[in-house]
Amino acid sequence: MKHFSTGQWIDFVNEVVSGEARQNMERHLTQGCETCNQTRTLWRHVRHVASAEKNYQPSLDTVRRSQFAFASSKLALKRKGAFRLAEMLFDSFLQPAFEGARTSGKSVRHVLYRADPYQIDLQIETSSDGNTLVVSGQVVDTRQPGLAGCNVRIAISNLHGPVEQTTTNEFGEFRKEIGASGDLELLFPGLGDKPIIITLRNPLGQLPAAST
């Protein structure tokens, strides 16, 4: 039994074959050719998926989460060469509040990142006047547990005003204040061959709600 080609079956499911050719292919299927029937079924499924794909619109929540996760880096754009985005391991803002707990007037956020072989622990809070963010944290080299990342240079930006510079101490710890503009970005230029970037949009504001 002579089989029709894959290209012919693609034209068949897309309805671009001539009337006579279509009749011959349909007759071929009624004669019980399992191979061609499987090929037609496959490409019919592909066509269905492709038709549905062009009409797909992601939810607004999904778009917001994507924008939050892959926000462009202004500090990185000012530098030449490649950089690495740190992976978020923990975010206190994404944890459910304890039952009966009340929010305090002072916001504090704890975030943990990883950019192998380093782990970066951050705490972000507002100053007493509410006009400044206090950014503190610690850099640890996971290749040697307990070994702090000392003398690590850090550039901190609110994406609007001047960039603040600081360096970790002998324990890998740092602390710096910066104007509370609604955004926050940290650049670690000395960790490995590629600078590490951490970007937080509206770091003490409302994050997109988790989808269910």
Side-chain angles (χ1 to χ4, degrees), residues 85-95 109-122 140 142 198 200:
L85 288 175
E87 175 190 3
M88 181 184 290
L89 301 179
F90 172 83
D91 186 348
S92 61
F93 272 27
L94 296 179
Q95 304 304 307
R109 184 176 185 179
H110 179 206
V111 197
L112 182 63
Y113 288 91
R114 178 178 61 199
D116 288 334
Y118 300 99
Q119 189 164 290
I120 303 169
D121 193 351
L122 293 180
V140 175
T142 60
I198 291 176
L200 286 169

Side-chain angles (χ1 to χ4, degrees), residues 28-94:
H28 182 73
L29 293 175
T30 60
Q31 292 174 352
C33 180
E34 187 62 27
T35 299
C36 286
N37 186 50
Q38 290 178 356
T39 302
R40 181 199 61 167
T41 301
L42 169 64
W43 288 104
R44 178 179 287 174
H45 176 70
V46 171
R47 184 174 187 270
H48 174 74
V49 171
S51 298
E53 181 71 18
K54 66 181 181 180
N55 295 321
Y56 172 73
Q57 292 292 332
S59 67
L60 184 59
D61 177 67
T62 299
V63 172
R64 285 199 300 263
R65 284 181 166 271
S66 297
Q67 291 173 338
F68 173 77
F70 299 101
S72 61
S73 168
K74 290 189 177 180
L75 278 179
L77 291 174
K78 292 180 180 178
R79 298 177 56 88
K80 295 181 179 179
F83 61 91
R84 291 191 292 161
L85 288 175
E87 175 190 3
M88 181 184 290
L89 301 179
F90 172 83
D91 186 348
S92 61
F93 272 27
L94 296 179

